[in-house]
C-alpha cells in the first residue's frame, strides 16, 4: 500500500511540475529564456504525450541540441520514422557530438563544470544522454539511430 501511495504522490508532483512548466513556457515566457522547454518536452514523452512534445518542438524550429534530438525522438515515437530520420540527420549535422555520445555503448564522462555547459560540447551531450537515454532505449529509437536510420 505504501508503494502505491508514494507512486500516486509522485505522479501528482510530476503532473504539477508539468503544469507549472507549461504555464511558464507557453504563456508567461514564450521565448523560454529560462530553458524549461527541454525538460518539459522530455516529461511530455515520459508521460506518453508525444503530440504535445511535437507541438512544443515546432515552436522552436532548429533549436539547440537537446530540443533537436528530442524532436527527432518524438517523431520516432509518433510513428513518423521518415520525418524522424530527417530531423535526426539535421540534429547530427548541427550537433554531432551529442549523437556520438548518445549512441556510444559506454561513453566516458567528460569534464563537467558547474558554472556552464558548452553548447555542442561533450558536457552538453553527456547531460542529454543522462536525461534521455532511457526514453531512446525504451522507444526503440536508440537501436534505430545506431542502425544509421537518421540521415539527411
Amino acid at each position: 500500500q505504501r508503494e502505491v501511495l508514494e507512486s500516486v504522490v509522485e505522479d501528482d508532483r510530476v503532473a504539477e511540475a508539468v503544469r507549472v512548466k507549461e504555464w511558464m513556457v507557453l504563456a508567461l515566457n514564450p521565448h523560454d529564456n529560462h530553458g524549461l522547454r527541454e525538460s518539459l518536452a522530455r516529461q511530455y514523452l515520459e508521460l506518453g504525450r508525444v503530440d504535445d512534445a511535437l507541438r512544443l518542438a515546432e515552436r522552436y524550429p532548429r533549436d539547440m541540441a537537446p530540443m533537436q534530438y528530442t524532436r527527432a525522438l518524438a517523431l520516432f515515437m509518433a510513428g513518423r520514422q521518415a520525418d524522424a530520420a530527417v530531423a535526426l540527420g539535421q540534429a547530427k549535422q548541427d550537433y554531432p557530438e551529442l549523437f556520438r555520445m548518445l549512441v556510444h555503448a559506454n561513453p566516458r564522462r567528460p569534464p563537467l563544470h558547474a558554472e556552464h555547459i558548452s553548447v555542442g560540447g561533450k558536457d552538453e551531450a553527456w547531460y542529454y544522454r543522462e536525461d534521455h537515454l532511457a526514453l531512446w532505449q525504451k522507444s526503440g529509437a536508440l537501436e534505430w539511430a545506431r542502425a544509421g536510420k537518421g540521415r539527411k
Side-chain angles (χ1 to χ4, degrees), residues 43-118:
Q43 285 182 312
Y44 278 155
L45 293 179
E46 289 169 347
L47 295 170
R49 295 174 57 182
V50 176
D51 290 339
D52 289 329
L54 286 172
R55 276 191 292 278
L56 181 62
E58 294 305 319
R59 291 177 64 134
Y60 305 94
R62 200 80 184 266
D63 200 6
M64 303 298 284
M67 282 300 288
Q68 282 197 37
Y69 279 88
T70 300
R71 179 175 178 266
L73 175 59
L75 287 164
F76 179 88
M77 291 174 71
R80 296 171 50 189
Q81 275 70 23
D83 293 334
V86 171
L88 184 58
Q90 185 63 63
K92 285 168 51 177
Q93 182 179 340
D94 291 350
Y95 300 101
E97 191 61 52
L98 199 150
F99 183 78
R100 286 190 290 273
M101 185 75 70
L102 180 65
V103 299
H104 195 287
N106 192 19
R108 286 187 180 180
R109 180 181 173 186
L112 304 175
H113 308 282
E115 309 84 42
H116 69 279
I117 294 176
S118 305

Side-chain angles (χ1 to χ4, degrees), residues 2-16:
R2 184 172 185 221
E3 288 178 15
V4 170
L5 180 58
E6 287 174 0
S7 176
V8 169
V9 169
E10 184 61 29
D11 289 347
D12 286 345
R13 287 184 184 153
V14 169
E16 182 60 23

